[in-house]
Amino acid sequence: QRNESDGLIDWRRLTAEDVNHFVRALSSPYPGGYNYLSDGEILRIWKVEVDSVPVLGVPGRVVVLSDGLHVVASGNSSVKLIRLDCNRRLKQGDFLNSERRLP
């Protein structure tokens, strides 16, 4: 039985392939993968793709590409966020935290 706490994504520890498998394993009917944004908002991640042309950077940092896709650096590469739920738009430089920090 999976629960909410199983879905927290650790971008520093997981490779891009690991993140892809992790999110796939937690998709519907399970609660999905998730992280917290700096304002305490939850970002729920339902589908990702390993980036064929990796964007390297700080693991967990969001990069917004010119075509509007969001890419997040992981431990060794990056993933594209294909399907996600959030109450606000992600911005360039947002950081996906594994702890909830309220503003």
Side-chain angles (χ1 to χ4, degrees):
Q1 183 85 16
R2 296 182 196 266
N3 62 42
E4 182 72 18
S5 64
D6 294 331
L8 191 59
I9 300 170
D10 183 348
W11 294 96
R12 291 171 297 178
R13 188 179 59 82
L14 298 175
T15 66
E17 295 80 11
D18 291 341
V19 170
N20 183 36
H21 295 304
F22 187 78
V23 169
R24 283 181 39 217
L26 291 165
S27 287
S28 186
Y30 300 111
Y34 72 95
N35 283 109
Y36 298 104
L37 300 174
S38 59
D39 59 3
E41 185 76 36
I42 292 178
L43 170 70
R44 183 105 20 216
I45 302 170
W46 298 103
K47 184 174 182 181
V48 300
E49 281 180 7
V50 175
D51 206 350
S52 58
V53 180
V55 175
L56 301 178
V58 177
R61 181 84 53 199
V62 175
V63 176
V64 181
L65 301 179
S66 58
D67 58 4
L69 278 176
H70 299 89
V71 174
V72 180
S74 66
N76 71 332
S77 185
S78 60
V79 297
K80 294 178 186 175
L81 302 181
I82 305 299
R83 204 170 109 226
L84 52 98
D85 290 331
C86 189
N87 289 333
R88 71 168 176 87
R89 291 183 74 110
L90 288 179
K91 298 179 292 206
Q92 180 83 15
D94 274 342
F95 187 73
L96 306 183
N97 299 299
S98 30
E99 296 177 11
R100 187 171 210 160
R101 297 180 184 127
L102 298 176

